[in-house]
């Protein structure tokens, strides 16, 4: 039975992000796409998500400040609740942000999540009429703001212990992606899918090889090795990335793979059974200084962490910073993967951008 776990982009409670995803980007537009840059011209640049909560303006300024390192920004704006219902989250869709990113030379490829479970999504995916209506709705989103493509981050349907429902989603999702990508490509737009790595039973609902043959980019979420409802530990590690990349490169063309780095962390109360609290890098570092905790770095995983006590409870925080990213980036080069991304703009250690640039210089990658 598949291990069922709460995925990080899924929710916010009390203003705290309970679901966070970074998937690296390096979107390769289809040959002949209008205004599309060739892969070689895009080498050395990555992508990042733009969240719809928190300091949205700050995240937008973050993107503009690093436009020379970003080929794509994916606003985390849309959600689907049915074949025809693909809607923007309240107050999230901002045409001025889209226009500003385009002026900066950044492609805008919004992310769409879904709320349908495996059983409901399986029915939709295997009904040709409903599936076509869904492709129409997704294509309509792209046309609505002059977007450069779309990113499907369909995770709810993948979280199931029902083998039959999972198999139904697996085959039906390939057909949906095939039809959507064909539609987008005819219009010179990019087709991206975001997936969890195939590790510890996760991702069994995704046919990676088929998706890699259809989509321009397959974004692998490079987190959460340790998650909000599990035991404390690093969000990612060098060994974990090596396993992800080994599996990914065996199934998906290297120039279509992106691996996402986390710009956040979790604050656990070990043994409490409570969900860990999400912290951006900024929040984690501010907390560490406020409580006077010693900065520690786990060299094996490439991850910072610290401990502190409050209200009689022991806390353990693991997060990611520029030092950790620098330690983990060489894994991508070792597997010939150039695509990297960030979850999410405004969350990250500002030094991450220098780490990305340094890795580009070492590999001789230009803009």
């Amino acid at each position: 039975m598949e291990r069922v776990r709460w995925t990080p982009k899924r929710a916010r409670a009390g203003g705290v992000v309970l679901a966070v995803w970074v998937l690296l980007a390096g979107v390769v537009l289809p040959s002949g796409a209008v205004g599309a840059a060739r892969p070689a011209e895009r080498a050395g640049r990555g992508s990042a998500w733009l969240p719809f909560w928190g300091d949205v303006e700050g995240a937008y300024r973050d993107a503009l400040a690093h436009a020379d390192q970003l080929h794509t920004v994916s606003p985390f704006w849309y959600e689907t609740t049915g074949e025809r219902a693909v809607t923007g989250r309240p107050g999230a869709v901002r045409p001025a942000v889209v226009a500003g990113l385009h002026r900066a030379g950044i492609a805008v490829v919004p992310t769409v999540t879904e709320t349908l479970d495996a059983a409901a999504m399986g029915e939709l995916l295997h009904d040709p009429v409903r599936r076509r209506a869904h492709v129409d709705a997704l294509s309509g989103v792209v046309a609505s703001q002059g977007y450069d493509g779309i990113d499907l981050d369909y995770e709810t349907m993948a979280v199931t212990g029902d083998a039959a429902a999972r198999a139904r989603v697996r085959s039906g999702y390939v057909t949906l992606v095939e039809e959507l990508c064909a539609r987008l490509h005819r219009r010179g737009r990019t087709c991206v899918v975001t997936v969890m790595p195939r590790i510890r039973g996760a991702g069994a609902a995704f046919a990676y090889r088929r998706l890699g043959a259809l989509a321009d980019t397959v974004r692998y979420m490079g987190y959460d090795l340790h998650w909000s409802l599990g035991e404390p530990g690093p969000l990612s590690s060098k060994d974990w990335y090596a396993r992800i990349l080994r599996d990914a490169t065996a199934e998906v063309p290297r120039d279509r793979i992106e691996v996402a780095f986390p710009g956040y962390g979790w604050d656990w109360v070990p043994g409490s059974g409570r969900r860990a609290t999400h912290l951006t890098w900024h929040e984690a570092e501010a907390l560490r200084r406020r409580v006077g905790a010693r900065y520690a770095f786990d060299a094996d995983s490439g991850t910072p962490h610290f401990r502190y006590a409050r209200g009689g409870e022991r806390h353990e925080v693991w997060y990611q910073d520029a030092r950790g990213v620098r330690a983990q980036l060489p894994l991508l080069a070792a597997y010939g993967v150039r695509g990297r991304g960030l979850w999410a703009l405004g969350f990250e250690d500002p030094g991450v951008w220098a780490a990305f640039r340094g890795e580009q210089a070492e590999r001789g990658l230009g803009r």
Side-chain angles (χ1 to χ4, degrees):
M1 178 177 291
E2 177 182 346
R3 177 182 178 185
V4 177
R5 45 183 292 181
W6 181 271
T7 53
K9 277 181 188 163
R10 280 296 160 225
R12 264 178 84 74
V16 177
V17 180
L18 296 179
V20 181
W21 297 73
V22 168
L23 244 44
L24 288 153
V27 175
V28 180
L29 291 175
S31 177
V34 177
R38 297 292 183 185
E41 296 171 327
R42 302 168 75 83
R45 300 170 73 189
S47 70
W49 277 282
L50 192 153
F52 65 90
W53 61 88
D55 185 7
V56 176
E57 289 300 323
Y60 170 56
R61 291 193 298 271
D62 194 11
L64 297 182
H66 302 98
D68 65 325
Q69 291 185 264
L70 289 168
H71 59 68
T72 301
V73 163
S74 287
F76 204 73
W77 286 350
Y78 293 91
E79 183 177 67
T80 183
T81 56
E83 63 264 32
R84 294 181 175 84
V86 182
T87 57
R89 302 171 193 272
V93 181
R94 304 190 181 192
V97 169
V98 178
L101 292 170
H102 278 157
R103 285 194 299 271
I106 302 171
V108 183
V109 179
T111 294
V112 181
T113 61
E114 100 291 12
T115 62
L116 303 177
D117 64 14
M121 200 67 189
E123 292 301 313
L124 186 161
L125 294 172
H126 284 273
D127 184 323
V129 174
R130 296 180 67 194
R131 189 177 63 244
R132 189 178 308 113
H134 195 47
V135 170
D136 290 343
L138 292 167
S139 300
V141 168
V142 176
S144 69
Q145 300 292 332
Y147 294 128
D148 300 283
I150 206 162
D151 165 35
L152 292 188
D153 183 10
Y154 282 12
E155 302 169 25
T156 301
M157 68 178 191
V159 181
T160 177
D162 186 324
R166 185 168 59 241
R168 192 164 169 79
V169 164
R170 181 183 174 95
S171 60
Y173 190 55
V174 167
T175 305
L176 173 70
V177 170
E178 181 177 23
E179 293 176 358
L180 176 63
C181 290
R183 177 87 62 89
L184 294 177
H185 289 167
R186 286 195 296 269
R187 299 176 181 178
R189 298 295 183 262
T190 297
C191 188
V192 180
V193 293
T194 290
V195 297
M196 63 276 289
R198 191 208 301 276
I199 289 180
R200 297 181 308 190
F206 295 112
Y208 296 87
R209 190 179 301 275
R210 296 287 306 280
L211 295 175
L214 297 168
D216 300 295
T217 302
V218 179
R219 291 173 161 175
Y220 286 80
M221 297 177 286
Y223 42 82
D224 280 315
L225 175 58
H226 290 81
W227 64 305
S228 61
L229 284 176
E231 293 300 313
L235 281 72
S236 57
S237 73
K238 291 182 282 188
D239 177 66
W240 192 57
Y241 278 151
R243 285 185 287 161
I244 291 172
L245 287 159
R246 182 178 63 246
D247 292 345
T249 54
E251 297 182 294
V252 178
R254 285 171 170 78
D255 63 354
R256 298 188 181 194
I257 296 172
E258 295 178 358
V259 179
F261 289 84
Y264 67 97
W266 296 110
D267 181 347
W268 285 272
V269 178
S272 70
R274 298 197 302 268
R275 188 184 302 280
T277 299
H278 174 270
L279 299 170
T280 67
W281 172 87
H282 298 277
E283 292 167 338
E285 274 299 297
L287 172 63
R288 186 181 68 80
R289 292 188 173 92
R290 188 166 62 249
V291 300
R294 181 181 65 87
Y295 174 95
F297 188 81
D298 179 47
D300 288 339
S301 66
T303 313
H305 59 101
F306 63 90
R307 294 175 177 174
Y308 71 100
R310 183 171 60 195
E313 292 184 320
R314 181 173 62 89
H315 289 249
E316 189 168 343
V317 178
W318 291 76
Y319 59 117
Q320 190 53 293
D321 64 2
R323 179 180 177 184
V325 169
R326 281 194 298 270
Q328 295 174 348
L329 268 172
L331 270 300
L332 273 68
Y335 283 86
V337 172
R338 295 184 176 187
R340 47 88 179 154
L342 178 70
W343 177 270
L345 288 161
F347 289 5
E348 83 284 3
D349 176 355
V352 163
W353 300 101
F356 286 154
R357 193 182 299 280
E359 183 262 353
Q360 295 160 20
E362 288 180 10
R363 296 172 66 181
L365 301 179
R367 286 183 58 185

